[in-house]
Amino acid sequence: MGEDIVMGKTEQLKRMHELVRVLNVARRAYEQENHSVMSDFEYDKLYDELLVLEKALGTTLASSPTINVGYEVMGELPKEEHESPMLSLDKTKDVMQLVEFLSEQIGVISWKLDGLTVVLTYRNGKLEKGVTRGNGEIGEVITNNVRTFRNLPLEIPFQGELVLRGEAVIGYKDFNQLNEEMDDDLVKYKNPRNLCSGSVRQLNNEITAQRHVHFWAFHLVRAEGKDWKNSRKYQMDWLEVQGFEVVEHHLVQADTLEAQVADFAKSIESFDLPTDGLVLTYDDIAYGKSLGSTNKFPRDSIAFKWADEVKDTTLLEIAWSPSRTGLINPIAIFNPVELEGTTVSRASVHNISILEELELGIGDIIQVYKANMIIPQIAENITRSGVKDIPMYCPVCDAPTEIKTDLGTKTLHCPNPNCQAKALKLFALFVSRNAMNIEGLSEASLEKFVEKGFIKDVTDIFRLQRYAAEIKSMEGFGEKSYFNLMQSIKQAKTTTLPKLIFALGIPNVGLATAKVICKAYANDPKRLLKAKEEELSQLFTIGTVIAKAFVDYFAVPENKNIFLTLLDEVELPDETQEVQQDLAGKIFVITGNVTQFANRNAAKEFIESRGGKVSGSVSFKTDYLINNDVHSTSSKNKKAKELNVPIITEAGFIEMFGKV
């Protein structure tokens, strides 16, 4: 009997050591090397198993992730010790546990954003320092990078010493756009959190500047001489007055908490910022401080993670999707299931390492869920029949594939520089909304046109009328579809030079970068072709890598000829004339569907062309919220009403500031 107990404990200790090893590898990959080797679901499951073992055995290993927070600081960034340790938060998936935690107290509930935690220090009204969370005790000094955050005030009204914490994040829209624009650089980044971490912890802040990083304050550490009326809510509202964007937050009591959590849940689908739950903190500052903390968790706050809805289904296929960089991504195709109110039938597996870790085989019974209620992922493979048939040849061009290992992660690549998939992805970029904006040319349609020889390079897109009869007879097309496509192509011929440059797919040259370059050369295409690396590298946010890529692109005769041919096809408006800057100093937020503009991006460009700014969230600095549904109960409308920000329709905007 005694032997059985000893053997049981021995096995449990072995399992504990294995869990610590596996979790630390996954944690290091995610937090330090900016890539994933397992799903969040799998990590949480193993972490919870480790907690149970530690409690049962009364033993915690020194290297256990349950007592260590943050990434291990390494690299060449300067290091700095935090004045007080930055602890992690205890967590729950049970709303009733939140109610129990709150008890008779009043709480502040807010989003828990999924980015990189940063500590900022201001003195005499100016930003002095920015430091990452690091391992909770020592962080990396990233002050130069912090200065490039899109929404961060470099100067504030408060003149005393101010220390605050917040989350550096990249929104889903910016993440997706950056993936399109800078595909070469983003092979390792599979989600906004990884991209943000990799962008903020850079030695060269020009990279951070290109990545659209925003800062959202969530905690005031210290502001000398201020009376906080013993209220966390008051502190957060005061930070807004100083010019910071603060995470959405609401006061709650035990009887209103469940409804407020439900309101947050409803808005997740349209929420642009990556989030992994909510944070509940006691509003009473003194009471919260009196509770102290454990070695890892403060006792005044608790994190809430959404209880994932998990469904069983059958894996039908692993599809392999080539990109324009040559990376071939595995995608799991399974029998459709309903998750969080939508039908899901596919999920990205990201790379071969995750494929092998899950032992995915066709016909396996798998469990799927939506990470943070948004992104479909595989939680578990129940039958684990094993990985078979990783393609030996590219599914598009039949060239032999290569398996590469980078930072311990295995990925599949097509080395053929002439692979049609690379061309197809380039064509898709060319016609995309932020480039030439040609509606009616989906990737599927482009693929058909490439197969039939209608499109060999991007200039052929403007000559599709040569194949009118063939296109009209193709499945999915007809007279009306063909006519609409031709109209869209005709409209696309009137564009701007930055959009044309972006549409070419020059490595690392996104739309924002293209605007900087074109402006520096007075929007003169001939001058662009003569641009020198030394000149370009001196421009703000450009630097040597982008400068070389730009010059190298036009040094290829074929690329230069394509560009010159496109210049003959398109019409570029005269941008040397000064546009009235009557919106200078005004900040707008645009939400909902638009009807007067082609899309929200078009409205944004119009406002910016007139000197205005467009923000992604409503704050006290917002002058107008544009929403055609002025009576909407959306979070943006609610925030606007709370802050007395006028809500206007497009028609109201045009009446006030001129026609489109």
Side-chain angles (χ1 to χ4, degrees), residues 276-335:
D276 55 358
L278 305 171
V279 174
L280 178 62
T281 302
Y282 295 124
D283 185 54
D284 187 323
I285 297 173
Y287 175 74
K289 286 183 177 178
S290 73
L291 300 175
S293 64
T294 68
N295 287 336
K296 187 176 180 183
F297 305 127
R299 291 193 174 98
D300 69 342
S301 301
I302 187 171
F304 173 77
K305 298 193 74 172
W306 312 108
D308 300 303
E309 182 183 9
V310 181
K311 293 283 184 70
D312 289 0
T313 186
T314 302
L315 182 66
L316 303 176
E317 176 188 358
I318 296 292
W320 295 86
S321 176
S323 71
R324 67 184 177 93
T325 63
L327 178 68
I328 306 176
N329 297 297
I331 299 170
I333 311 295
F334 43 81
N335 279 330

Side-chain angles (χ1 to χ4, degrees), residues 26 46 88 204 215 228 268 333 339 407 434 460 473 488 644:
L46 296 180
S88 184
N204 183 349
F215 177 85
W228 299 121
I268 281 184
I333 311 295
L339 285 175
L407 296 173
N434 291 322
D460 292 327
S473 64
S488 185
N644 293 317

